[in-house]
Amino acid sequence: MRNRLIHSSSLAVLALAVSAAAAPAAAQEAAPAASPPAPDNAGIGDIIVTAQRRSETLQSAGIAIDAVGGENLIRQGITQADALNKAVPALTVTNGGGSNTSIFLRGVGNITNNSYNDPAVTPSYDGVVLGRAAGAFGSAFYDLARVEVLKGPQGILYGRNATGGAVNIIPNRPELGRNSGGFTLSVGNYDAVGAEGFFNLGLGDNAALRVAATHQYHDGYNRDGSDDANRSGIRAQLLFEPTDKLSIRFGGDYTHVGGVGAGSSYIGAFTPGPNGFTFAPATGLGSSEGFNTDAADAYRQTQLGAPGFGFLNALNRQQMIDATYWGLNAEVTLETGIGTLTVLPAYRKTDFTTYFYGPAFNTAYNDEQDRQASLEARLAGKVGMFDYVVGGFYFDEKIRNVGEYNQEFVLPIQRYTHKTTSWATFGQLTAHVTDQFRLIGGLRYTHDKKSINGIINNFIAYCGGLPPVTPPGSFAQGCAVPGNLPHFPNFTTTGETVNWLIENGYIAPGSTDDANGQFYPLLNGAGIIQKTYYPVVDSGKFSRVTWKAGAEFDIAPESLLYASVESGYRAGGFQLSEGNPSYDPEFITAYTIGSKNRFLNDRVQLNLEAFYWKYKDQQINYFTVSPDSVLINTIDNAGRADIKGFDVDLMVKPMRSTTLSAKVQYLDTEYKELTLTTASPRNNINCPYTATGNFLSDGSTPILAFDCSGRPLLYSPKWTINLGAEQIVPLGDKYELVGSVNTSWRSSQYGAFEYLDFEKIRPYWLTDANLTLRMADGGFSIGAYIQNIENKRRIATPQSSPIGFAVARYTAPRTYGLRLSASF
């Protein structure tokens, strides 16, 4: 209740500020509502998109794209990116803890455990491509015009090559000659409070200022306070149009994310044995327990941790997140005699500090600073029968990271600087062969230069020695006796770790911290500590030509048939991975045929798409074996995969006040070639295996090759169905009641590469509903909402922990509340 009072006061301040800013505007002119409802006699409305670097309706864009307008984002409770799959069936956004966000689209994506691996689905904010997903997707959605999701490789017109697709977050722009404002306030269970507000000021005839702000808060969905929200943001844009041919828009934004952060819960634990792994469930711990409760800690302390094989400790601190994202950008548009020139300079900075548990670490820590600068220039025009877009792009990024991933008997410590410089030239040509038939071709040349300068050290406490003594022999060795083996604290330097071991009597006084690998015998004879030393200084260049060929045919004035084939590429890179410092690029070729249609005076909309993608050398993250036979966590390239299916998108307005919608996706994915090479104790993989005949560096642990060919790609449910209904009931001339229900179904899907039973996300329904009383002219509304009516928390991110636990982050429970909106 105290939190609600604190945050509610901030909402009141925001609402008063917006009202005060908008009040002079209301006195000067009767401004229309920010987003009034469509007229009663209107059919299905149009959404304007810019996915092809030009303004066009969603229905006239001959590409695979979903778009969600700003009002629909609010109505569906989509306040950040991980809820976008409510509106976009093909998309999955996950966060397993810390600063890393993973994005999958139709199975194409990567589980992100670090910040030097580029996303396969590229995020953009206000036309600026983002090198890291966390900034855009950790921030709140507010005062947005729309979010566009492009499905398939984006190898021509977008700032960085993407193999899976692109997610474009597009804010509302300043409007000339208009003074207006608006806000939305909400309260709900879990002490949820939220506010979003904006004002738009016309500054004479040629300039306008738009300022928007938000604050979102709710208590944690888990008992340890995790899965909470505490986000605040502000954005300002200044538009200046000195002539009818020149437009200059400046923008700046700032977001702070705080609180506890994403959290998971124990499902159970795996114990290795001579005949494989035995799973034992975490009895009495549910999906909302979290890691840092008395009950969860009591369970944790019953488990042995490899390779020390002592009982694990309770978590040593509460997790937290403290992140700031800010950026400056501009858009300069000039109409010339040969076309429209658009220039987009931008600079962005991220500062991120977090303690997090991830897959049951105790406790991981990351301190990271990212900065990026980019410049894009495009010229778009028309010559005879040809429309053209040509341009160039430059991108420069630098990441500094210090972190540790404490597993109690294993303490990985890393620090690195990673740099990327990328430039590209691109062009796309559309030939209007006839008034109804068009041919499209495009090329892009991309050149990436990447480098890494860092080091990873591991402190590893072994029971007995190398190879370690395992249970039950470890008990006789005394490794399970409290205090016999060190449980490492959360150190980020080797020097303080060695000093701590000396001060606590584990290793001999005078032990040194040298710039190489070392062994430290435990003074009590229970085991030995190894310190690894792996500096990585490497750099390289990657380049590729990507292409697109397509055709469009207007079957009728409101019926479009389109087809395309295009290629995508994601650059290779460098990593902190012992003996395996680099990984190769990945490639995709996508074949698409689709149709977009309107019937019966815009009362029926039917869009169809069929697709077939060939995916090669996917970049995946898992435990494998280095060239010098050491077990490591690394990014590696998978073999080949096929992705095929179809989308059906139907919207119907049988009456002027009734809207029905249905989105269905069928998705068939299969790895044609996927071999995971690893060894005990990271060999808990549900795929057939053969022994390679080689052994780890201890000389006794066999290296195994698991053949996962035939398995589906991650986050690729075979069937996805989204259904919606909205009914408007007039209440006299001034008011109307609006009710809506949206439900979605996902068939089963896997969320991790081990393909274990708990990593298979079971089929589920998810249903939301809204009931709103609003003024017919759109000036005021008050409503109630409920999300996840079923009140079932489903697995969102399953993880097989290096310590042996099965853990998962879950979706939100049932939430409900009230929402008040006004516009001036």
Side-chain angles (χ1 to χ4, degrees):
M1 179 58 71
R2 180 175 179 270
N3 284 334
R4 173 171 286 178
L5 291 174
I6 294 173
H7 292 276
S8 295
S9 65
S10 68
L11 305 192
V13 170
L14 178 57
L16 288 172
V18 171
S19 299
Q28 294 172 27
E29 58 177 287
S35 296
D40 283 346
N41 59 355
I44 299 169
D46 285 323
I47 297 179
I48 303 298
V49 298
T50 54
Q52 298 192 94
R53 301 306 196 192
R54 64 176 183 263
S55 294
E56 58 187 338
T57 67
L58 182 64
Q59 287 301 104
S60 63
I63 55 176
I65 178 176
D66 280 335
V68 189
E71 288 296 309
N72 282 334
L73 291 170
I74 294 175
R75 186 165 57 250
Q76 295 185 50
I78 301 175
T79 58
Q80 63 181 106
D82 59 7
L84 272 174
N85 68 341
K86 290 183 177 182
V88 184
L91 187 70
T92 300
V93 181
T94 68
N95 185 329
S99 61
N100 298 309
T101 299
S102 300
I103 317 168
F104 288 82
L105 201 155
R106 291 177 175 166
V108 178
N110 52 311
I111 295 177
T112 306
N113 294 331
N114 51 69
S115 57
Y116 41 71
N117 187 211
D118 294 334
V121 180
T122 299
S124 295
Y125 167 76
D126 199 11
V128 178
V129 68
L130 304 179
R132 306 302 114 201
F137 290 171
S139 305
F141 283 6
Y142 64 101
D143 193 34
L144 296 184
R146 64 192 176 277
V147 175
E148 300 175 356
V149 179
L150 286 77
K151 294 171 281 190
Q154 304 301 313
I156 308 299
L157 296 180
Y158 277 86
R160 297 291 304 281
N161 278 303
T163 48
V167 179
N168 305 327
I169 302 167
I170 302 170
N172 284 312
R173 299 164 57 98
E175 297 178 86
L176 296 176
R178 181 177 179 187
N179 296 320
S180 60
F183 65 82
T184 297
L185 307 178
S186 63
V187 295
N189 59 334
Y190 292 93
D191 276 349
V193 292
E196 172 184 332
F198 80 94
F199 63 84
N200 187 97
L201 296 179
L203 305 175
D205 295 331
N206 301 320
L209 172 70
R210 190 180 187 100
V211 177
T214 187
H215 178 70
Q216 297 173 3
Y217 174 88
H218 66 72
D219 286 345
Y221 297 141
N222 297 327
R223 295 184 183 93
D224 64 353
S226 61
D227 275 349
D228 63 337
N230 190 355
R231 296 184 294 269
S232 299
I234 187 169
R235 178 193 307 123
Q237 299 176 81
L238 178 64
L239 175 63
F240 179 51
E241 294 186 359
T243 72
D244 59 355
K245 296 183 180 298
L246 177 63
S247 172
I248 303 171
R249 181 169 59 94
F250 297 101
D253 63 277
Y254 174 89
T255 297
H256 179 262
V257 180
V260 178
S264 300
S265 298
Y266 296 109
I267 296 175
F270 291 94
T271 303
N275 298 316
F277 288 81
T278 302
F279 176 76
T283 305
L285 301 181
S287 59
S288 300
E289 188 65 42
F291 284 147
N292 194 15
T293 66
D294 290 343
D297 276 335
Y299 169 72
R300 180 186 182 89
Q301 292 174 88
T302 66
Q303 304 298 312
L304 298 174
F309 297 108
F311 289 102
L312 295 172
N313 283 347
L315 295 178
N316 59 38
R317 62 158 295 147
Q318 174 66 298
Q319 66 176 38
M320 55 76 69
I321 184 172
D322 183 8
T324 58
Y325 312 97
W326 64 269
L328 300 171
N329 63 290
E331 180 184 67
V332 181
T333 303
L334 177 65
E335 300 289 343
T336 72
I338 58 173
T340 302
L341 176 66
T342 303
V343 181
L344 299 167
Y347 178 85
R348 298 201 66 83
K349 182 97 166 43
T350 296
D351 289 287
F352 204 110
T353 300
T354 178
Y355 284 95
F356 64 100
Y357 304 137
F361 293 145
N362 190 9
T363 301
Y365 168 80
N366 254 312
D367 182 25
E368 182 171 298
Q369 296 82 43
D370 305 346
R371 68 115 181 99
Q372 72 168 66
S374 63
L375 176 66
E376 182 169 348
R378 302 189 304 268
L379 180 66
K382 184 177 180 66
V383 177
M385 62 183 289
F386 297 101
D387 294 339
Y388 66 86
V389 179
V390 295
F393 173 77
Y394 177 80
F395 176 87
D396 184 78
E397 180 186 52
K398 184 176 182 179
I399 302 170
R400 296 182 183 273
N401 181 283
V402 175
E404 55 82 10
Y405 301 88
N406 191 351
Q407 301 158 43
E408 301 203 28
F409 298 114
V410 180
L411 177 63
I413 300 171
Q414 69 176 32
R415 57 185 61 233
Y416 63 85
T417 299
H418 186 274
K419 298 179 181 179
T420 298
T421 301
S422 178
W423 62 268
T425 58
F426 57 88
Q428 182 166 301
L429 197 65
T430 301
H432 295 260
V433 181
T434 71
D435 290 342
Q436 295 174 282
F437 182 59
R438 297 170 294 281
L439 294 175
I440 301 106
L443 290 173
R444 181 188 187 95
Y445 174 78
T446 301
H447 180 85
D448 293 297
K449 180 181 179 181
K450 295 186 177 184
S451 66
I452 191 169
N453 186 343
I455 186 170
I456 182 169
N457 301 102
N458 294 286
F459 284 87
I460 308 169
Y462 296 99
C463 178
L466 272 174
V469 178
T470 60
S474 57
F475 290 97
Q477 183 69 21
C479 296
V481 175
N484 271 7
L485 264 68
H487 296 249
F488 295 110
N490 303 323
F491 292 136
T492 57
T493 67
T494 57
E496 61 184 343
T497 307
V498 170
N499 289 337
W500 178 84
L501 290 168
I502 295 172
E503 292 169 0
N504 286 271
Y506 286 112
I507 62 176
S511 296
T512 60
D513 174 28
D514 300 333
N516 51 48
Q518 294 173 268
F519 287 91
Y520 306 95
L522 292 177
L523 295 179
N524 58 14
I528 192 171
I529 294 175
Q530 179 185 16
K531 186 198 81 175
T532 67
Y533 180 84
Y534 289 99
V536 177
V537 181
D538 209 341
S539 64
K541 299 176 181 179
F542 308 89
S543 60
R544 185 76 173 181
V545 174
T546 50
W547 50 269
K548 174 181 179 178
E552 298 178 358
F553 180 65
D554 297 323
I555 303 172
E558 292 190 290
S559 291
L560 169 68
L561 178 67
Y562 65 94
S564 67
V565 55
E566 52 193 319
S567 65
Y569 144 87
R570 182 159 59 124
F574 301 91
Q575 60 185 331
L576 286 184
S577 182
E578 300 91 325
N580 191 35
S582 64
Y583 52 93
D584 294 330
E586 70 176 31
F587 309 94
I588 194 168
T589 303
Y591 304 85
T592 303
I593 184 168
S595 178
K596 297 186 175 182
N597 307 274
R598 288 276 182 91
F599 307 105
L600 301 177
N601 294 322
D602 291 338
R603 295 195 177 276
V604 176
Q605 176 177 296
L606 177 62
N607 295 340
L608 307 171
E609 179 206 354
F611 54 88
Y612 178 53
W613 298 356
K614 302 286 287 185
Y615 197 15
K616 180 182 177 183
D617 296 332
Q618 180 187 10
Q619 296 165 9
I620 65 173
N621 193 301
Y622 77 107
F623 276 96
T624 187
V625 178
S626 70
D628 53 352
S629 299
V630 174
L631 198 62
I632 57 171
N633 183 260
T634 190
I635 300 169
D636 204 354
N637 293 91
R640 298 177 296 109
D642 285 356
I643 301 166
K644 57 182 179 288
F646 61 81
D647 270 4
V648 178
D649 187 347
L650 175 66
M651 184 176 294
V652 180
K653 289 197 73 172
M655 296 178 288
R656 62 186 183 183
S657 58
T658 303
T659 303
L660 305 174
S661 63
K663 289 176 178 278
V664 178
Q665 177 182 263
Y666 171 78
L667 183 61
D668 181 12
T669 69
E670 181 183 2
Y671 279 108
K672 297 298 184 179
E673 178 185 326
L674 176 60
T675 300
L676 306 177
T677 303
T678 188
S680 176
R682 309 299 185 219
N683 60 326
N684 189 15
I685 298 175
N686 188 22
C687 297
Y689 69 88
T690 56
T692 65
N694 298 317
F695 297 86
L696 291 183
S697 55
D698 61 19
S700 62
T701 304
I703 298 175
L704 308 174
F706 289 82
D707 184 5
C708 294
S709 303
R711 288 289 195 175
L713 278 70
L714 303 189
Y715 295 106
S716 59
K718 189 169 288 289
W719 288 99
T720 303
I721 301 172
N722 285 18
L723 304 175
E726 180 183 86
Q727 181 65 49
I728 301 173
V729 179
L731 301 176
D733 295 331
K734 294 185 177 181
Y735 298 98
E736 55 191 19
L737 191 65
V738 183
S740 64
V741 177
N742 292 277
T743 188
S744 60
W745 186 76
R746 304 288 185 272
S747 62
S748 62
Q749 57 188 303
Y750 280 100
F753 279 111
E754 294 83 10
Y755 294 103
L756 300 172
D757 184 67
F758 86 93
E759 294 173 340
K760 187 174 187 178
I761 302 170
R762 309 303 177 187
Y764 65 87
W765 284 97
L766 179 67
T767 306
D768 302 336
N770 292 269
L771 186 63
T772 301
L773 176 66
R774 70 187 187 193
M775 297 179 68
D777 63 1
F780 171 85
S781 69
I782 185 170
Y785 66 88
I786 181 169
Q787 298 174 348
N788 188 2
I789 292 175
E790 297 84 355
N791 197 27
K792 293 181 179 179
R793 302 194 67 182
R794 289 93 175 175
I795 289 178
T797 311
Q799 293 178 290
S800 182
S801 170
I803 303 176
F805 291 111
V807 304
R809 187 187 180 201
Y810 291 82
T811 58
R814 179 189 295 150
T815 57
Y816 51 86
L818 302 174
R819 187 181 292 125
L820 171 69
S821 297
S823 58
F824 309 94

